[in-house]
Amino acid sequence: MTILIVDNDRWVLNGLSKLIQMLDCNVQTALFASSTEALEYAMKEKPMLVIADVEMPEMNGLEFCRKLGMAYRPHIIIISGFDKFQYAQEAIQIGVSNYVLKPINQKEFMALIRRELANIQQEQAERNILAQNIRNGFFESIYIGKDTGTFVKKFIALYGKQMEEESYTFAYVCVEDFSAVKNVVQTKFRAKSEEYSSLMDHIEKSCPDKIICSELRHGSVAFCIIGDIKPFLEWIHTIIFVSRKYFCQITVGLSTSSTNLDCLLELFRQAIEALQDKFFHGQNEIYVYKKPSAEISRETAKSFLLVHNYADCITDILFNSGSREDIRVAADELICKLIEMSYSREGVVLFFQELVLLIASSLIHISDSRVDAGEINMPDNIFGKCETLQEIETIFLEYITSLYTRIQKQMVRNVDSIQYITDKMLEEDCANVSLDSIAEQCGIHRNYLSIMFKEKVGMNFKDYVLGYKIKRAKHLLRGSNVRMSVIAGELGYMDVKNFSRAFKTYTGQSPSEYRNQLEDDNIQDKS
């Protein structure tokens, strides 16, 4: 970070700079004796902390700060040898952070700089979180086909001017994680979550300027490249190469470029369609969108989204009902769609190979299983010898259900501890207990926790927590005159109405009716 210091007295400039360097806060100083030159520098570099003398010949400090405030909003410290109320009052009006009188107390000044730097860092962190939320919301919106809404408007407010002036391009990147899948189904296990997460951290930290990225979901990353596409291409080539050491494969779909903000959805669709070429030409490549010919448009249309949607659907079936019949119905429906889209035999085989890989990755990700899977084997092409769609479907069902069964059998998590941890957390703070909080405490995926909890305890997690809360509510209603609002808050309900509804649904009585009945019973016992 650079601190701009403006004072027509060179002795003061050097003195303040030396004080700041003594802080050892990894900051630099830019020193100007001319307020005009300082203003030109600030407009270009936009330093977030500015220290300015109030009395300067070319332009006084207050006027200097007022012009700065019209361009951006830095933290400003005014220093002055004049104890004038008018100066201080005007400084407050233009948003100056602090007003320091000369002679400067070194100790107090250094403490002030530390506070301002800490405030700037906190504000920057908050802005980064807000900007990332806007980016995530924007990509989620256009992914589902919406080019309006709050996030899109905020994204355009942040980047729209640059996009119109310099052009923009979308890239859709598929990150296929073999650190879990290949090692579980072929060799010994590698910690998938650590390697995938390390790659995503590397992508985020190394991403060049003017390239905006967002991980839409596990394995899918969207980019908006503003301006020249060459820096992105050079960078993504290095990412494709680096991804191998993380046991991942990266394939990129790239749209055309445009300066028209009305083309957001069209360009994003182009990036997704370009990525579909990996079904036919392989992974670890960059595919640039080309308008499909009439001969291949039906077979390639929507295939990328289709395979991901069915992977999600079948994974949900496995972890919810586990019904082979439900999976067969979904596979039948999928094959019908592929036939309607005029897929060739080779296209169907490639599609199902991709589907198997995605489902296997999801199963291991959700179960977070540390599996020794020496017995499990996935040939390079499990559908290679299939002559009919029926054979493809049969092998698909056998392989997926077998893989799911084997992963379940070989899980090494200590399931007995789940109920103990849940009970402990309910006793300590039942208001904030959730499936996510227990999963984090146990170190397992929330979906896996939900399944194993029901298997171990005999009821689903939500009903178990509700039962505890109702039991706790009865205890509070029975032994005290605590207000309903206090009881509701202690149990994690936002208001009395929600608490009363849950209590009545569970017990058949409202909390008030339950308390009144207890009081009546006590009176009868005494009489």
Side-chain angles (χ1 to χ4, degrees), residues 309-449:
N309 288 339
Y310 271 90
D312 291 344
C313 170
I314 292 170
T315 303
D316 287 343
I317 293 171
L318 286 167
F319 273 106
N320 290 323
S321 69
S323 168
R324 183 184 175 95
E325 179 60 23
D326 289 345
I327 300 172
R328 188 192 62 76
V329 170
D332 283 345
E333 180 184 283
L334 173 58
I335 287 174
C336 288
K337 286 190 176 182
L338 296 179
I339 293 172
E340 289 174 6
M341 295 164 67
S342 298
Y343 264 69
S344 64
R345 175 195 172 280
E346 291 75 15
V348 173
V349 167
L350 287 169
F351 192 100
F352 270 88
Q353 285 181 203
E354 184 82 6
L355 184 61
V356 164
L357 192 60
L358 288 171
I359 293 171
S361 178
S362 296
L363 289 177
I364 297 158
H365 171 61
I366 290 173
S367 66
D368 195 25
S369 172
R370 301 301 187 264
V371 179
D372 181 10
E375 297 180 4
I376 303 174
N377 181 38
M378 183 173 72
D380 292 336
N381 186 356
I382 59 176
F383 305 107
K385 295 182 179 180
C386 295
E387 297 294 334
T388 66
L389 293 177
Q390 184 63 46
E391 289 179 6
I392 290 176
E393 182 179 7
T394 300
I395 291 177
F396 171 76
L397 291 173
E398 288 176 354
Y399 179 77
I400 289 300
T401 53
S402 172
L403 177 61
Y404 177 63
T405 302
R406 289 172 183 268
I407 287 176
Q408 274 196 316
K409 286 181 179 179
Q410 297 184 49
M411 286 175 181
V412 295
R413 292 290 185 184
N414 184 6
V415 178
D416 292 334
S417 66
I418 293 176
Q419 186 175 4
Y420 172 79
I421 292 173
T422 302
D423 290 341
K424 197 73 176 171
M425 291 181 70
L426 283 170
E427 289 173 11
E428 292 174 356
D429 184 13
C430 72
N432 294 311
V433 169
S434 66
L435 197 61
D436 288 324
S437 66
I438 301 294
E440 182 178 356
Q441 188 70 23
C442 294
I444 58 181
H445 195 283
R446 67 189 306 276
N447 291 15
Y448 171 51
L449 169 64

Side-chain angles (χ1 to χ4, degrees), residues 23-281:
L23 292 173
D24 194 25
C25 289
N26 193 29
V27 294
Q28 297 177 332
T29 55
L31 310 180
F32 287 88
S34 165
S35 55
T36 303
E37 292 177 4
L39 182 63
E40 183 179 347
Y41 169 85
M43 292 299 188
K44 181 180 179 181
E45 301 297 334
K46 293 184 170 49
M48 288 310 299
L49 181 55
V50 178
I51 303 170
D53 186 18
V54 74
E55 290 289 347
M56 292 184 288
E58 295 175 346
M59 180 193 320
N60 73 37
L62 295 175
E63 181 61 25
F64 170 80
C65 294
R66 184 179 291 106
K67 290 185 177 181
L68 276 188
M70 293 172 65
Y72 72 109
R73 300 297 297 274
H75 285 234
I76 300 173
I77 299 173
I78 286 289
I79 54 177
S80 174
F82 302 95
D83 188 7
K84 291 185 179 180
F85 175 73
Q86 180 184 352
Y87 282 167
Q89 185 181 40
E90 190 173 350
I92 292 171
Q93 290 174 349
I94 62 177
V96 169
S97 305
N98 284 276
Y99 191 90
V100 179
L101 289 174
K102 297 177 181 178
I104 296 171
N105 182 301
Q106 293 186 10
K107 187 175 180 180
E108 292 179 357
F109 180 77
M110 292 172 75
L112 172 61
I113 297 298
R114 285 187 185 278
R115 288 198 302 273
E116 289 297 330
L117 290 175
N119 289 337
I120 290 170
Q121 288 177 346
Q122 182 178 350
E123 289 174 6
Q124 184 61 50
E126 291 171 353
R127 280 196 295 270
N128 289 343
I129 292 172
L130 178 61
Q132 188 60 55
N133 289 339
I134 291 172
R135 292 193 289 268
N136 292 344
F138 167 77
F139 283 113
E140 289 285 353
S141 296
I142 61 172
Y143 180 77
I144 62 174
K146 290 177 60 178
D147 59 355
T148 58
T150 302
F151 287 115
V152 175
K153 289 177 182 177
K154 288 183 177 179
F155 184 89
I156 290 174
L158 281 175
Y159 306 108
K161 186 176 180 181
Q162 284 181 285
M163 293 165 73
E164 288 181 314
E165 291 176 352
E166 302 181 44
S167 82
Y168 67 97
T169 311
F170 284 122
Y172 198 90
V173 175
C174 178
V175 184
E176 293 185 274
D177 183 3
F178 295 94
S179 64
V181 179
K182 282 198 171 181
N183 288 294
V184 165
V185 298
Q186 291 179 349
T187 62
K188 71 178 186 179
F189 181 79
R190 292 181 183 273
K192 169 253 165 205
S193 58
E194 293 178 5
E195 295 181 357
Y196 175 84
S197 297
S198 295
L199 176 60
M200 297 311 296
D201 287 343
H202 179 74
I203 288 173
E204 182 179 348
K205 290 175 182 176
S206 65
C207 191
D209 293 336
K210 293 189 177 181
I211 297 175
I212 304 152
C213 70
S214 173
E215 185 181 9
L216 282 171
R217 59 184 176 185
H218 183 81
S220 298
V221 186
F223 292 87
C224 179
I225 304 111
I226 298 177
D228 188 5
I229 196 71
K230 289 181 181 178
F232 173 81
L233 292 175
E234 292 172 0
W235 171 74
I236 202 68
H237 273 297
T238 66
I239 295 297
I240 291 173
F241 179 78
V242 167
S243 67
R244 296 169 187 169
K245 78 174 185 178
Y246 296 103
F247 301 93
C248 293
Q249 287 189 343
I250 286 182
T251 313
V252 183
L254 202 62
S255 75
T256 58
S257 299
S258 177
T259 57
N260 187 352
L261 296 180
D262 291 333
C263 296
L264 291 172
L265 291 181
E266 170 62 21
L267 262 64
F268 194 75
R269 181 189 61 79
Q270 288 181 8
I272 291 176
E273 288 193 7
L275 190 59
Q276 293 168 10
D277 280 352
K278 78 186 182 76
F279 287 109
F280 305 100
H281 305 297

